[in-house]
Amino acid sequence: LIIIGQEEAAADAQTRIDTAVRKGAVALFLPNSPLAAAFGLELAEDRFFMGKLTHSPLLAGLNNGDLYLKEWAEMPVAQATNGWQILAAPGIVASKDLGAGKLIGCQLDLGKLGARGKIKALRFWNILLANLRVDRGPNAWLLQPAKVWEENEFEKMPRYMLW
């Protein structure tokens, strides 16, 4: 699994990712990843309140309620062009087969959501990463510990519940 964020990539990154994916790797483009466009992922700004899932194994354990954001969201979403298929409309998640591997673009940007939307998006991301078998332990790729619950004004956790 190759996870590609917003960081500036090395000059040969596109070629190395292309080669790895064609040999069977999975590349996950995080929201606003500049390298996604090099692989044909086109984005368009959209305003939506909820998403609708397909029956992709990548989304196992999720349902449409997990993308019912409870508030309007505006962000760039993937378009069904250049061989990309929408897995969660309106382009929240898209995938494209490339050789023996797969490219995945997830545009669900927690930074563009309010408190209620973040709660839903956090669950969505946790399950998506689990389905991709991402190591979530203390030595994982994440720079900060993975959250299982987002502090918010809508759901109060009693102090005795240590999740």
Side-chain angles (χ1 to χ4, degrees), residues 36-37 44 87 107 134:
L87 302 181
Q107 301 305 314
V134 172

Side-chain angles (χ1 to χ4, degrees), residues 53-54 58-67 93 120 123-128 131:
L53 304 178
T54 63
L58 180 65
L59 304 174
L62 293 165
N63 62 52
N64 289 337
D66 292 312
L67 285 177
V93 180
K120 294 289 195 155
R123 173 178 157 70
F124 183 90
W125 270 107
N126 279 322
I127 293 176
L128 176 64
N131 287 342

Side-chain angles (χ1 to χ4, degrees), residues 138-159:
N139 298 319
W141 65 278
L142 296 170
L143 297 177
Q144 59 188 14
K147 290 182 172 184
V148 294
W149 184 71
E150 179 79 16
E151 187 77 37
N152 67 85
E153 63 184 283
F154 307 104
E155 301 170 325
K156 298 295 181 195
M157 297 293 285
R159 293 179 190 258

Side-chain angles (χ1 to χ4, degrees), residues 34-45:
L35 268 180
F39 289 91
L41 183 62
E42 293 181 15
L43 303 176
E45 196 72 26

